Amino acid sequence: MKKFMKGLLATTMVFAMMTSLVGCGGGSEAEAPADETETLVMATNAAFPPYEYYEGEEIVGIDAEVGAAIAEKLGMGFEISDMEFDAIIPAVTSGKASFGMAGMTVTEERMQSVDFSDSYAKGVQVVIVTEDSEITDVDHLFAGEDTHVIGVQTGTTGDLYSTWDLEDEGLATVSRFNKGADAVLALTEGKVDCVVIDNEPAKEFVAANAGLKILETAYAEEDYAICFAKDSELTEKVNGALKELIADGTVQKIIDKYISAE
Ligand code: ARG
């Protein structure tokens, strides 16, 4: 059932073509101070719409655009490096990537190995079930009578929470997939009983697959932020640019472009 995509590392150059969004037609500043890292390399997992996903050959989405806007503001080049989600923090801590941006939730555990920027978006862990599922709310998963199989994307908070809260307590089994979409496919095939995943990709996956719904009760609420190697010099710089892009409404404009208000 599990398809292993062997460490495919697609690298996509995304030029900071954000002129309309940041209101600056000038392109790169020729006199920008030379920096060790002239190009910001953003590690992500581009299987997470609307934050990062492929449109043809190109990686688009909220994080892709905010990352490009940050690079443009700093007068730096920008490149996206696509990898498995659980490879992002190692790529950042080993210096292969300048930062990680992947709808990544700030957690205490991750703060042991990386530093985080200010938060630029909120996420909610939700539960996707089939329309006829006997799982009608999140508490049902904790009821302890049935052992459900929970589909998750490996290394995500959906994985961590359901492992700690449910699998470790003997209340459920967690089935891990390289992509959220693969977990959702397993749900449509009856191989898992539900999927725990972030709300925005959940909405997209439910819209793309007949017979699924999102439970109304949420599993957990979280903050998304950019992660950096501990004590990286880039943290202050990138976070400074992010703060400005939040303050001037650019980040909200990008979010609104990808997420329509209900
Ligand atoms: N918010 C969740 C986490 O940080 C899921 C993020 C998954 N992101 C992705 N690009 N696949 O663990």
Side-chain angles (χ1 to χ4, degrees):
M1 166 171 76
K2 265 194 216 176
K3 257 204 239 146
F4 270 79
M5 304 272 293
K6 279 211 189 113
L8 266 188
L9 199 90
T11 299
T12 305
M13 290 293 292
V14 176
F15 295 100
M17 291 183 300
M18 307 288 305
T19 48
S20 61
L21 288 162
V22 295
C24 158
S28 61
E29 287 144 53
E31 301 306 319
D35 198 277
E36 300 154 354
T37 331
E38 297 255 50
T39 294
L40 286 177
V41 178
M42 169 177 136
T44 199
N45 169 247
F48 196 69
Y51 291 92
E52 45 269 335
Y53 58 101
Y54 280 91
E55 227 170 61
E57 306 262 284
E58 196 192 355
I59 296 171
V60 297
I62 294 166
D63 292 340
E65 291 208 19
V66 173
I70 288 170
E72 167 142 346
K73 199 169 242 323
L74 297 174
M76 296 171 88
F78 184 57
E79 195 176 300
I80 298 179
S81 182
D82 185 22
M83 59 191 74
E84 302 293 358
F85 183 75
D86 58 1
I88 296 173
I89 287 182
V92 167
T93 56
S94 68
K96 283 193 195 115
S98 319
F99 61 81
M101 194 171 187
M104 186 180 285
T105 304
V106 178
T107 70
E108 301 232 332
E109 220 217 3
R110 290 174 182 159
M111 282 166 76
Q112 308 295 310
S113 44
V114 289
D115 289 337
F116 281 102
S117 68
D118 288 18
S119 176
Y120 62 92
K122 295 253 174 231
V124 183
Q125 291 300 311
V126 296
V127 181
I128 308 177
V129 293
T130 52
E131 264 160 12
D132 59 357
S133 176
E134 34 78 66
I135 303 169
T136 50
D137 61 36
V138 173
D139 289 345
H140 196 118
L141 297 173
F142 291 84
E145 281 146 30
D146 321 311
T147 292
H148 295 103
V149 181
I150 302 177
V152 297
Q153 183 182 18
T154 307
T156 59
T157 47
D159 180 2
L160 302 177
Y161 302 156
S162 39
T163 300
W164 295 332
D165 297 348
L166 297 163
E167 191 171 62
D168 291 354
E169 300 298 319
L171 301 175
T173 306
V174 176
S175 187
R176 299 173 184 84
F177 299 84
N178 284 341
K179 293 182 178 165
D182 292 342
V184 172
L185 182 66
L187 177 62
T188 65
E189 292 171 341
K191 293 173 179 161
V192 302
D193 300 307
C194 64
V195 172
V196 177
I197 192 163
D198 304 52
N199 56 331
E200 292 303 334
K203 282 192 230 161
E204 303 229 1
F205 295 144
V206 166
N209 290 278
L212 302 182
K213 65 176 182 190
I214 298 173
L215 294 183
E216 273 167 32
T217 49
Y219 193 122
E221 307 205 349
E222 20 188 58
D223 294 313
Y224 292 167
I226 302 173
C227 71
F228 304 88
K230 279 209 161 295
D231 305 316
S232 162
E233 286 172 13
L234 277 175
T235 310
E236 216 187 301
K237 219 164 140 173
V238 169
N239 197 37
L242 175 67
K243 273 183 204 275
E244 284 178 41
L245 293 166
I246 291 172
D248 72 7
T250 303
V251 169
Q252 193 56 50
K253 236 184 258 171
I254 294 170
I255 292 173
D256 291 345
K257 177 177 159 187
Y258 285 93
I259 301 175
S260 46
E262 268 99 293

